[in-house]
Amino acid sequence: MTTNENTRTLGSTGPSVYPLGLGCMGMSALYGEADRTESVATIHAYLDAVPDGASALLDTGDFYGMGHNEMLIGEALRTAPAAAREQALISVKFGALRTVEGGFTGYDGRPEAVRNFLAYSLQRLGRDHIDVYRIARVDPSVPIEETVGAIAEAVEAGHVRHIGLSEVGADTLRRAAAVAPISDLQIEYSLISRGIEAEILPTARELGIGITAYGVLSRGLISGHFSRDRELAPGDFRGMSPRFQGENLQRNLDLVDALRKVAEDKGVSVAQTAIAWVLSRGADIVPLVGARRRDRLTEALGAMAVELTDADLAAIEEAVPAGAAAGDRYPQAQMAHLDSEH
């Protein structure tokens, strides 16, 4: 399958976007310190790489750095050429509750909270609308119908263009879609995170809902750049992620070594192979790449030119079989917040 088309549509009701989106979280949080100047330059490079006629999808959350990431994107857009700025589409997750120290204390999906979060995001981004708006995790104390209904009201008011969801299961997906059109489900999907294939992905396709896939390189684990002896900076999420711990890490990097052989046979990088695999899963899937630097962005964009044959796909499956990853994708406490895992 060739993956160098200029656009993919987020579901049957969503916008058309460039086939690779840019996830901006790491520019503000969870992976150690980031360089603000390089982060802005990376966003500019991504906007520049998106051809005329396609929309550049920038993904963020209002809780990434407690608003820092939205302000960073706002700065990058203000300093970008007007044409590039007009091509940008912004997807925002909301609802996470934080402490001064950076801790997470839950999620708030009440309609009045939706309106409050939205007002602050619009101010930080310097925009009059958000292109795709979604709660980051389902609030267990608020029916999803109420949360989605509040976003639908924001769509009617012109403050939001499309409604998305994040990390929800098939039943919640159906309930939400019965309230209002859903453009896409943002959910982790990669060679070593394939849980959506059993029920969630078929349900999304039945309902005409697209997939924006995050974690396509599993937070760098299957990028080909993560070494066995790497020391993580204080506060790096991966320091408590089960897949990066002890024996789990060694087993997972064994999978990467096997994938590296497939990549080398094609003359491409491990990261490009992993991204191309997600691109090959269907035209309704838009991978988000979390590049924080221009060189990593250039490598990721190179996946667009990688054509995976049936033989390539078979070799990839043999190197990294479904279910082969060691460890959960989040610590146990965070797994409990994932409607998609229940």
Side-chain angles (χ1 to χ4, degrees):
M1 174 181 176
T2 182
T3 59
N4 60 357
E5 302 94 340
N6 280 346
T7 61
R8 290 187 173 189
T9 302
L10 298 183
S12 59
T13 64
S16 293
V17 299
Y18 193 57
L20 280 182
L22 181 61
C24 300
M25 181 187 74
M27 299 176 182
S28 297
L30 297 181
Y31 295 129
E33 289 189 17
D35 183 307
R36 189 180 188 91
T37 300
E38 180 62 23
S39 295
V40 170
T42 301
I43 294 173
H44 286 170
Y46 172 67
L47 296 173
D48 188 57
V50 174
D52 292 341
S55 295
L57 180 62
L58 299 172
D59 182 75
T60 185
D62 64 8
F63 51 95
Y64 293 166
M66 281 75 88
H68 178 280
N69 204 238
E70 288 181 320
M71 291 188 287
L72 178 73
I73 290 174
E75 175 187 336
L77 292 179
R78 285 193 305 274
T79 55
R85 187 162 57 246
E86 292 171 3
Q87 281 183 279
L89 265 69
I90 301 180
S91 163
V92 176
K93 291 178 290 298
F94 69 89
L97 303 176
R98 306 293 305 271
T99 66
V100 173
E101 295 76 19
F104 287 85
T105 60
Y107 297 89
D108 193 344
R110 296 171 302 143
E112 56 267 40
V114 174
R115 292 186 283 270
N116 179 77
F117 287 128
L118 176 59
Y120 278 85
S121 284
L122 291 172
Q123 177 67 27
R124 285 188 290 258
L125 290 164
R127 293 168 68 91
D128 63 3
H129 72 276
I130 290 171
D131 297 287
V132 187
Y133 201 50
R134 69 186 90 237
I135 191 166
R137 301 287 187 267
V138 174
D139 180 346
S141 64
V142 178
I144 193 64
E145 290 87 350
E146 293 185 17
T147 303
V148 169
I151 305 174
E153 291 176 0
V155 172
E156 291 180 9
H159 303 313
V160 171
R161 295 282 169 83
H162 303 281
I163 304 171
L165 292 168
S166 175
E167 285 289 356
V168 305
D171 178 63
T172 303
L173 202 58
R174 292 185 186 280
R175 289 167 53 200
V179 174
I182 306 297
S183 65
D184 66 305
L185 167 63
Q186 187 173 122
I187 195 164
E188 187 167 356
Y189 187 41
S190 72
L191 271 168
I192 64 171
S193 296
R194 298 177 60 173
I196 72 170
E197 293 177 345
E199 185 178 13
I200 295 173
L201 181 56
T203 300
R205 286 175 167 162
E206 174 194 336
L207 297 172
I209 296 171
I211 298 290
T212 41
Y214 76 87
V216 294
L217 296 179
S218 198
R219 299 162 185 81
L221 182 59
I222 59 172
S223 67
H225 301 298
F226 201 94
S227 62
R228 294 177 186 272
D229 58 353
R230 178 171 173 178
E231 292 191 9
L232 298 170
D236 192 314
F237 165 81
R238 293 168 292 192
M240 60 179 182
S241 173
R243 290 183 175 172
F244 288 82
Q245 306 306 309
E247 186 177 331
N248 285 352
L249 176 63
Q250 302 310 315
R251 289 169 57 190
N252 290 330
L253 290 180
D254 286 344
L255 298 175
V256 177
D257 288 341
L259 184 62
R260 193 185 309 276
K261 295 176 183 177
V262 179
E264 288 175 348
D265 286 344
K266 283 197 69 68
V268 298
S269 74
V270 175
Q272 288 168 340
T273 304
I275 296 168
W277 182 87
V278 178
L279 281 165
S280 77
R281 297 299 86 193
D284 55 346
I285 297 174
V286 174
L288 300 172
V289 296
R292 301 195 295 169
R293 303 184 337 223
R294 284 168 286 182
D295 59 336
R296 292 287 193 255
L297 174 66
T298 298
E299 179 185 22
L301 292 173
M304 297 276 291
V306 177
E307 183 174 349
L308 297 178
T309 65
D310 289 342
D312 294 330
L313 292 170
I316 291 170
E317 291 278 352
E318 183 177 356
V320 187
D328 288 333
R329 53 197 183 98
Y330 284 97
Q332 186 175 4
Q334 294 185 33
M335 289 290 287
H337 289 291
L338 299 176
D339 182 79
S340 55
E341 296 286 342
H342 299 160

